[in-house]
Amino acid sequence: MRLLTPFIGYFTLLAAPVLAQDTSVNYANTITATDLKKHLEVLASDEYEGRETGKEGQKKAAAYIATQFKNLGLPPVVNNSYFQNIPLTQSEWGSRLLVANQKEFKFMEDFYAFPDLKDTKVYTNEIVFAGYGINDSVYNDYAGISIANKAVIIASGEPVNKKGISYITKTDKKSDWATNSAFKKIEAARQLKPALILYIDKDITTTITRYRHYLADPTLVLKEEKNDKPSIPVVFISQAIADSLLSPNKSSVEKALAKINSNGKPKPLTLSSTVGVKLARVESTVNAENVLGYLKGTDLADELVVITAHYDHIGVIDNKVYNGADDDGSGTVAVLELAEAFTQAAKEGKGPRRSMLFMTVSGEEKGLLGSEYYTNNPVFPLDKTITNLNIDMIGRVDEKHKDSSNYVYVIGSDKLSTTLHKINEEANSTFTKLSLDYTFNDPKDPNRFYYRSDHYNFAKNNIPIIFYFNGVHEDYHKETDEISKINFDIMAQRTKLVFHTAWNLANRNERPVVDVTNDFKDK
């Protein structure tokens, strides 16, 4: 049975009643570098203040996009509006206190916590230094001790001898306890129910510098998903804090780990110290908007092709505007051009058989919030949504392709439907002739881009998807992601590939068959 699948997909493609190729090319050619630049010069300008979700710049961007849909003649479909409101809960730091042996340390300098931390108030003199915090059949830092209802300190890494041989793997290769250190160790500690986990980040200055925006700034979650379940708090601390707590025992982190490394035997310490932590989050309500442009189809109008891009970016940081020209101004203006191309076809009597939804979403940078809200609260039935084509960063050329810009990364096209994958490849071979790079489609790729943009919320609902992407470049999430660095010619060609794929999907007899199982391991 399985061997027949590729042939079934092939004959389905041949049977698709696509309108004449010259017709689709005519409308694809309305997508131009000039028009893409015209829109991006607006949306990626300083006036839009980096389009951060819930902020004034994002509202201005939403209004601009809605105006473009209105000018195209697309009707408002959300309670006579182009906007789907996204109710969000904003959370920001209130109390940020850590005291070790009566010495107060500084938040975002000596310690940090992830913003999903629940309000925490712990003061205790029951503290255990549990070495590397490993609980394994060949080595167990918790053997013979209890950390229940105590504060536990754990270090990164794993025990190795002087030759660098791991006591766990018995080779020079590190175990998962070192390579996936923090989260694996934190989960192991949580199973033993301590009152507080203090994890030593030996490179805390680098971590804080790199992730300051995420760790210190307000965060957003969907109101409907607010989680009030209690959890064991985790605070990441500098080695200086840990040394302060070990000092009454005439020890330090370096000395304690050296004793473990000398013979590979756990040596936990019960400390004669006190530690107090008080961390609290303050919550408020924020609203953002998805912007929807809808084009009704003809004889298959009850079915829907959804084309998405996120129009939010990361806003203003340290008084510097992060304009996000590529991420994802490029995808946003591509959606506007696609809407124009399909709308012109409809006005000339060549409209798509299926309906089209051109949707720019907000909240992607905060955790795919806009697309999650839409799939939880769909304006059009998800079971009638045949495909999502998602465009996130298509205006640049990455280092791998610096000598040949005629490419695009394709992610997810075969994760649910072999038919969809073939449709996209045929559209490319017939019309755009880009080099389709599937590097990031590999399930083993460490970047895991399949789980990191808005298509994923459609895929979780068993809707076949394609994610179009130019790869990461040196300006990703930096203030230097500016319009001056956009390659509008290759951006137009990539947008045309989306158009030709969408044209086929909107006009073929059959919707793409879901014939692949995906377990969606996004954690």
Side-chain angles (χ1 to χ4, degrees):
M1 293 290 287
R2 287 176 64 92
L3 291 175
L4 290 174
T5 303
F7 296 101
I8 293 171
Y10 178 71
F11 286 118
T12 301
L13 278 173
L14 291 180
V18 183
L19 300 180
Q21 285 189 5
D22 59 344
T23 301
S24 64
V25 170
N26 288 340
Y27 297 116
N29 286 340
T30 67
I31 298 166
T32 66
T34 300
D35 287 348
L36 290 164
K37 185 177 182 180
K38 176 188 69 175
H39 289 304
L40 195 57
E41 284 176 337
V42 176
L43 289 170
S45 67
D46 286 354
E47 179 185 350
Y48 287 72
E49 300 173 338
R51 310 184 303 278
E52 184 174 1
T53 301
K55 299 294 179 65
E56 184 62 26
Q58 177 254 302
K59 308 290 185 182
K60 288 181 180 179
Y64 178 85
I65 295 164
T67 297
Q68 305 314 305
F69 289 153
K70 182 179 180 179
N71 290 343
L72 291 172
L74 299 176
V77 291
V78 188
N79 299 321
N80 202 34
S81 169
Y82 291 96
F83 305 120
Q84 181 187 42
N85 184 58
I86 312 166
L88 301 167
T89 297
Q90 178 172 282
S91 175
E92 55 191 316
W93 290 110
S95 300
R96 293 158 290 179
L97 179 69
L98 188 152
V99 177
N101 291 330
Q102 282 67 60
K103 180 181 179 181
E104 186 172 332
F105 289 87
K106 293 183 178 180
F107 178 72
M108 293 299 289
E109 185 174 319
D110 301 304
F111 72 98
Y112 65 89
F114 286 125
D116 59 353
L117 184 79
K118 307 302 178 190
D119 286 1
T120 297
K121 189 175 182 181
V122 176
Y123 183 83
T124 183
N125 60 2
E126 294 187 276
I127 309 170
V128 176
F129 175 73
Y132 291 102
I134 294 171
N135 188 349
D136 194 273
S137 59
V138 297
Y139 175 92
N140 185 1
D141 280 303
Y142 300 107
I145 64 167
S146 171
I147 62 170
N149 301 314
K150 302 174 183 177
V152 61
I153 305 171
I154 55 181
S156 59
E158 65 182 317
V160 295
N161 65 21
K162 291 181 179 180
K163 296 181 179 180
I165 302 299
S166 164
Y167 287 107
I168 297 175
T169 66
K170 313 302 182 188
T171 71
D172 59 358
K173 292 184 178 179
K174 295 179 180 179
S175 72
D176 286 347
W177 292 102
T179 58
N180 190 23
S181 183
F183 298 106
K184 187 176 178 70
K185 291 180 179 185
I186 287 166
E187 184 56 33
R190 277 179 167 153
Q191 299 301 315
L192 302 175
K193 305 199 180 308
L196 174 67
I197 299 170
L198 299 172
Y199 186 92
I200 303 168
D201 184 341
K202 63 182 180 182
D203 200 10
I204 193 167
T205 299
T206 299
T207 301
I208 288 173
T209 299
R210 183 174 297 169
Y211 300 109
R212 177 175 295 277
H213 176 65
Y214 170 68
L215 294 171
D217 289 359
T219 59
L220 297 172
V221 297
L222 294 178
K223 263 187 175 297
E224 60 198 44
E225 292 194 349
K226 189 169 173 290
N227 182 6
D228 291 319
K229 291 182 180 179
S231 62
I232 295 166
V234 181
V235 178
F236 293 80
I237 62 173
S238 65
Q239 189 162 313
I241 293 178
D243 285 341
S244 176
L245 291 168
L246 268 69
S247 60
N249 290 58
K250 301 186 184 307
S251 187
S252 67
V253 173
E254 187 175 340
K255 288 179 182 178
L257 295 181
K259 288 182 179 179
I260 295 172
N261 292 339
S262 66
N263 59 11
K265 302 294 183 184
K267 291 182 173 59
L269 295 172
T270 298
L271 304 180
S272 302
S273 291
T274 59
V275 65
V277 172
K278 185 178 180 182
L279 294 168
R281 303 285 291 180
V282 178
E283 294 184 346
S284 58
T285 297
V286 170
N287 289 293
E289 296 81 24
N290 294 329
V291 192
L292 282 66
Y294 174 72
L295 177 63
K296 188 174 182 179
T298 56
D299 60 309
L300 297 175
D302 62 325
E303 294 187 342
L304 190 73
V305 177
V306 178
I307 301 178
T308 53
H310 74 89
Y311 70 97
D312 63 306
H313 193 54
I314 60 177
V316 179
I317 303 173
D318 296 331
N319 295 317
K320 297 175 182 176
V321 180
Y322 286 60
N323 282 315
D326 190 35
D327 183 18
D328 183 32
S330 63
T332 301
V333 300
V335 170
L336 295 180
E337 281 292 280
L338 289 161
E340 182 179 2
F342 275 95
T343 301
Q344 184 170 328
K347 289 176 179 177
E348 296 177 5
K350 304 292 175 55
R353 301 176 68 196
R354 290 182 176 84
S355 297
M356 308 289 298
L357 179 62
F358 305 96
M359 180 166 65
T360 61
V361 300
S362 190
E364 192 271 357
E365 299 289 2
K366 304 295 186 180
L368 314 186
L369 300 180
S371 55
E372 182 179 359
Y373 186 80
Y374 178 86
T375 53
N376 289 347
N377 305 273
V379 176
F380 301 95
L382 295 185
D383 62 356
K384 295 293 185 179
T385 301
I386 72 162
T387 309
N388 169 231
L389 305 179
N390 183 47
I391 313 166
D392 192 349
M393 298 173 59
I394 59 163
R396 294 285 295 270
V397 176
D398 69 359
E399 184 67 21
K400 177 182 175 182
H401 298 89
K402 63 181 180 180
D403 296 324
S404 178
S405 63
N406 195 51
Y407 77 97
V408 68
Y409 288 103
V410 175
I411 303 171
S413 61
D414 62 351
K415 298 296 187 190
L416 286 166
S417 174
T418 57
T419 304
L420 178 60
H421 180 73
K422 292 182 176 70
I423 289 170
N424 189 65
E425 288 208 322
E426 181 158 303
N428 183 61
S429 64
T430 303
F431 300 106
T432 48
K433 303 188 187 308
L434 294 163
S435 172
L436 303 184
D437 192 326
Y438 293 101
T439 298
F440 298 131
N441 198 51
D442 185 343
K444 295 180 181 178
D445 180 73
N447 295 286
R448 294 173 65 78
F449 288 124
Y450 180 62
Y451 306 95
R452 291 172 53 184
S453 191
D454 293 295
H455 59 276
Y456 182 62
N457 283 313
F458 289 88
K460 285 196 296 186
N461 284 279
N462 225 33
I463 297 168
I465 65 91
I466 301 177
F467 172 22
Y468 300 91
F469 180 49
N470 57 216
V472 174
H473 46 75
E474 67 272 17
D475 300 304
Y476 173 70
H477 276 201
K478 295 180 181 178
E479 62 176 308
T480 48
D481 181 4
E482 291 284 1
I483 192 170
S484 60
K485 298 182 179 181
I486 296 295
N487 183 329
F488 286 99
D489 289 332
I490 189 59
M491 182 175 160
Q493 195 70 354
R494 291 164 178 165
T495 306
K496 288 178 182 180
L497 173 58
V498 182
F499 172 85
H500 286 296
T501 300
W503 183 272
N504 184 306
L505 289 163
N507 290 296
R508 68 199 321 272
N509 285 336
E510 303 296 332
R511 61 191 290 171
V513 176
V514 176
D515 56 2
V516 181
T517 300
N518 193 313
D519 57 7
F520 301 114
K521 293 179 179 178
D522 58 335
K523 301 298 183 184

